[in-house]
């Protein structure tokens, strides 16, 4: 199949670029005080995505993040997944849906729908699985990513979006972003990045982002899952550009959010050159009874919306008191 890219434009000057390879989000151009910024890190050449080890802009899955020991059990039957990170399974395994060509199902000026399918047993997953992803670029500078998956038998599904954001604009230093995460808890991991099963309080830890805080790449090597405290109708995390002129609000109905500050980027990319905000089930949740999770079955397809919304020129004082929040909303927040 031919490697292609598609551009969506809204009435307010945003442009997003999406590829049929991995249904990847390649670029998002937005106007910040008459300056055009592309806020998504990626390759200059489309063909470079074909050997990308970093999941730039990809839809990761069938189950994003890690499944410990690369196995899970459904109704007493254990399924062995492909182990692609030591003995564990990451982002659906090698050559998964992020490295496949997707079909274009529908294209309009502000909407693109892509589809792909994998057979039963693909990388160990019970299936067959049918994925649809629809990108909607709205006039309020939000991008909704709707993911639907149907299956022919009960299975484990939990895909996510994997863009690396640099709100300073790609080409500019990503140092100095401010992050706020509405999470009272996170899920600690062992030395192989597999959750210990504990749901820990962020208080008095480096994972307390309830008040907005500047990320320091020397200190903040974040690659952690946060427990979402707010419903999908509210912003669950906010990333703020180093110059404070641009905010990115993230929300979804997933119970967790992986925040990954890009420490493993290399080659054409600088470590910490972009920040991923990946709504998800907690890592390894199919194997941890205390972690929220639901199976996808032929009768209950998987449906999830992940929303990224840009808010501009809100020179908010980064105070999170209720007053400051409602002032932000009046200024065009939510
Ligand atoms: C994971 C990282 C991983 C990165 C790229 C993130 O979702 O949490 O550990 O290095 O994806 O694979």
């Amino acid at each position: 199949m031919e490697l292609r890219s598609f551009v969506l434009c809204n009435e307010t000057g945003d442009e997003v670029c999406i590829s049929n390879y991995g249904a990847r989000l390649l670029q998002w151009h937005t106007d910040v005080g008459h300056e055009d910024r592309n806020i998504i890190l990626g390759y200059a050449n489309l063909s470079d995505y074909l050997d990308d080890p970093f999941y730039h802009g990809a839809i990761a899955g069938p189950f994003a993040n890690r499944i410990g020991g690369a196995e899970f059990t459904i109704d007493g039957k254990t399924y062995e997944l492909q182990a692609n990170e030591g003995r564990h399974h990451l982002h659906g395994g090698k050559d998964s849906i992020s490295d496949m060509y997707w079909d274009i199902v529908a294209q309009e000026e502000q909407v693109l729908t892509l589809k792909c399918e994998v057979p039963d047993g693909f990388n160990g997953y019970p299936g067959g699985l049918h994925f649809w992803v629809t990108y909607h670029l709205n006039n309020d500078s939000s991008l909704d990513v709707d993911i639907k998956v149907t299956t022919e038998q009960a299975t484990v599904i939990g895909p996510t979006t994997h863009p690396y954001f640099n709100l300073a604009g790609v080409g500019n230093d990503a140092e100095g972003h401010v992050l706020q995460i509405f999470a009272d808890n996170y899920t600690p991991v062992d030395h192989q990045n597999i959750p210990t099963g504990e749901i820990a309080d962020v208080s008095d830890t480096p994972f307390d982002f309830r008040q907005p805080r500047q990320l320091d790449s020397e200190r903040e090597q974040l690659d952690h899952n946060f427990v979402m405290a707010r419903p999908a109708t509210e912003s669950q995390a906010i990333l703020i550009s180093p110059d404070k002129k641009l905010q990115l609000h993230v929300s979804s109905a997933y119970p967790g959010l992986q925040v990954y500050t890009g420490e493993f980027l290399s080659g054409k990319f600088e470590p910490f050159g972009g920040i991923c905000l990946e709504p998800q089930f907690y890592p390894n949740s199919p194997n941890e009874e205390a972690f929220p999770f639901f199976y996808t079955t032929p009768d209950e397809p998987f449906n999830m919306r992940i929303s990224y919304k840009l808010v501009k020129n809100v020179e908010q004082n980064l105070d999170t008191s209720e007053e400051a929040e409602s002032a932000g909303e009046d200024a065009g927040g939510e």
Side-chain angles (χ1 to χ4, degrees):
M1 196 184 286
E2 198 193 343
L3 180 58
R4 295 178 64 192
S5 63
F6 302 83
V7 176
L8 305 182
C9 304
N10 66 8
E11 291 169 9
T12 33
D14 290 285
E15 267 186 32
V16 300
C17 182
I18 297 153
S19 174
N20 61 342
Y21 186 70
R24 292 174 184 236
L25 178 59
L26 308 183
Q27 297 180 4
W28 184 347
H29 287 266
T30 198
D31 189 76
V32 184
H34 303 299
E35 172 205 333
D36 172 57
R37 287 190 195 178
N38 167 30
I39 57 166
I40 294 181
L41 199 62
Y43 296 95
N45 297 318
L46 196 51
S47 58
D48 286 341
Y49 287 90
L50 301 176
D51 321 290
D52 164 45
F54 305 117
Y55 297 85
H56 275 290
I59 298 294
F63 185 87
N65 211 302
R66 293 168 178 83
I67 295 184
E71 61 173 38
F72 56 73
T73 301
I74 304 177
D75 292 335
K77 181 167 177 197
T78 298
Y79 294 87
E80 304 278 340
L81 300 173
Q82 186 206 79
N84 62 327
E85 194 180 66
R87 55 188 200 86
H88 308 299
H89 179 80
L90 171 69
H91 292 334
K94 199 169 152 18
D95 297 330
S96 194
I97 57 171
S98 44
D99 290 305
M100 279 179 193
Y101 286 97
W102 292 52
D103 293 321
I104 304 302
V105 178
Q107 186 186 7
E108 293 165 41
E109 192 144 340
Q110 295 182 224
V111 184
L112 184 72
T113 301
L114 308 98
K115 180 178 190 223
C116 84
E117 292 174 345
V118 298
D120 181 28
F122 171 79
N123 284 359
Y125 285 86
L129 308 175
H130 309 259
F131 294 82
W132 287 263
V133 168
T134 300
Y135 287 93
H136 304 255
L137 177 63
N138 306 304
N139 290 332
D140 63 354
S141 289
S142 61
L143 182 67
D144 294 328
V145 189
D146 287 330
I147 307 176
K148 176 177 177 182
V149 189
T150 62
T151 178
E152 289 152 31
Q153 53 187 308
T155 192
V156 163
I157 296 294
T160 194
T161 41
H162 206 288
Y164 291 77
F165 291 99
N166 176 359
L167 302 184
V170 170
N172 296 313
D173 194 350
E175 190 70 45
H177 279 81
V178 171
L179 182 62
Q180 181 168 29
I181 310 171
F182 299 97
D184 301 320
N185 296 95
Y186 75 106
T187 50
V189 287
D190 66 14
H191 66 288
Q192 296 185 328
N193 264 329
I194 303 299
T196 59
E198 189 192 352
I199 295 178
D201 193 329
V202 296
S203 307
D204 305 318
T205 75
F207 306 107
D208 190 349
F209 282 90
R210 289 173 293 190
Q211 301 298 320
R213 185 145 80 64
Q214 189 167 323
L215 286 168
D216 171 356
S217 64
E218 301 285 307
R219 271 188 318 123
E220 314 280 3
Q221 308 200 347
L222 288 179
D223 191 6
H224 293 84
N225 174 63
F226 291 82
V227 172
M228 294 296 90
R230 288 177 151 194
T233 48
E234 293 175 33
S235 305
Q236 296 167 328
I238 305 175
L239 184 66
I240 302 169
S241 62
D243 66 2
K244 315 286 186 289
K245 290 184 179 167
L246 185 61
Q247 300 183 353
L248 174 75
H249 294 234
V250 185
S251 56
S252 88
Y254 265 131
L257 178 77
Q258 185 81 8
V259 179
Y260 170 51
T261 50
E263 64 173 299
F264 303 122
L265 288 171
S266 62
K268 291 192 162 75
F269 305 97
E270 292 288 323
F272 305 103
I275 298 151
C276 296
L277 300 168
E278 310 159 49
Q280 61 180 8
F281 286 119
Y282 309 168
N284 202 29
S285 46
N287 294 316
E288 287 289 352
E289 254 174 49
F291 289 1
F293 177 72
F294 55 83
Y295 292 95
T296 295
T297 66
D299 294 337
E300 287 181 282
F302 179 90
N303 275 296
M304 186 61 69
R305 167 167 285 190
I306 293 175
S307 295
Y308 294 109
K309 179 169 162 42
L310 299 178
V311 178
K312 296 178 195 173
N313 298 321
V314 188
E315 293 269 3
Q316 110 175 21
N317 58 8
L318 305 184
D319 181 334
T320 48
S321 64
E322 278 178 20
E323 267 168 51
E325 280 238 307
S326 56
E329 280 161 21
D330 292 347
E334 270 142 315

